[in-house]
Amino acid sequence: MIGGRSRLPTNVLTASNGMTIEVNADDDAEGLLTIADALVYAEKEVGCKEIIELSASTGACMVILGTGYAGVFTQNNDLADEIESISKVTGDKTWRMPLVENEYNSKLRSRVADIKNCGTRYGGAITAGLFLKKFVKKKRPFAHIDIAGPVWKENTGATGFGAKLVTEWVCRKGRKDEILGIVVGA
């Protein structure tokens, strides 16, 4: 039930790292707010050296890739290659997508906060990745994997997509004895 303490579009929230976020008119991106704090926690409290985050964050990624592939948004070529390699082994199909700041950061600019929680209609999958990237230090390898398409099938329901991908990634990193982070969102 809606209460007097509900959040509204245009509210400004403060993330756990102190960054202010304008919740703009698209309230479909509320999950990104929680994931942002989870990324801060993974980095600051756990001390992760690399972070991958899986979430069904945008329908925009489904428009691009359909329901068979997850979009991988990262600027780290080594991490992208690693995810692609694991994807081939596990069958959890992924496709690397652009995470270009120059052309899309302006869509996240706010006049009342440090950042908006989502951009405009165009490039929504990219701006979701850029939004989340703001909550991870620049030099930290980070990938946002948008699993909106393959995580659900009309006839059968949840697919478990990403479980094999994450498990294999953790196993490979565990062999290297690294601290890593995995954030799974809604």
Side-chain angles (χ1 to χ4, degrees):
M1 175 160 285
I2 297 173
R5 298 185 62 179
S6 304
R7 298 292 178 178
L8 301 169
T10 71
N11 280 165
V12 174
L13 306 176
T14 303
S16 60
N17 66 351
M19 186 179 290
T20 56
I21 305 164
E22 176 188 353
V23 179
N24 60 354
D26 186 350
D27 62 353
D28 192 36
E30 75 284 348
L32 294 177
L33 302 169
T34 304
I35 296 167
D37 275 340
L39 292 171
V40 171
Y41 181 84
E43 184 174 62
K44 285 178 123 180
E45 302 298 324
V46 180
C48 299
K49 293 180 182 175
E50 295 182 49
I51 300 174
I52 62 171
E53 174 275 324
L54 288 79
S55 59
S57 55
T58 67
C61 200
M62 289 174 59
V63 171
I64 299 166
L65 297 175
T67 59
Y69 285 79
V72 176
F73 297 84
T74 184
Q75 292 176 332
N76 185 290
N77 292 328
D78 292 337
L79 187 54
D81 292 345
E82 191 173 15
I83 292 168
E84 181 182 4
S85 167
I86 292 169
S87 174
K88 289 176 181 174
V89 169
T90 64
D92 280 349
K93 297 176 185 175
T94 62
W95 195 264
R96 188 172 184 185
M97 302 297 292
L99 191 59
V100 287
E101 294 182 75
N102 294 341
E103 294 87 352
Y104 291 89
N105 266 342
S106 63
K107 296 177 186 296
L108 295 172
R109 283 197 193 110
S110 168
R111 289 189 281 167
V112 296
D114 295 319
I115 192 170
K116 290 181 186 176
N117 69 319
C118 64
T120 63
R121 177 179 178 197
Y122 303 107
I126 296 170
T127 56
L130 287 173
F131 173 82
L132 294 172
K133 183 180 173 294
K134 298 281 186 195
F135 295 89
V136 178
K137 289 184 181 165
K138 288 186 183 221
K139 294 189 179 191
R140 178 115 31 237
F142 166 71
H144 161 59
I145 305 173
D146 192 327
I147 61 173
V151 78
W152 187 266
K153 288 193 177 183
E154 288 287 323
N155 301 343
T156 57
T159 64
F161 182 92
K164 294 182 284 185
L165 184 90
V166 168
T167 301
E168 180 64 22
W169 189 71
V170 168
C171 288
R172 288 183 186 190
K173 294 296 177 180
R175 287 184 223 129
K176 296 178 184 177
D177 195 31
E178 294 182 23
I179 296 175
L180 43 97
I182 301 159
V183 177
V184 179

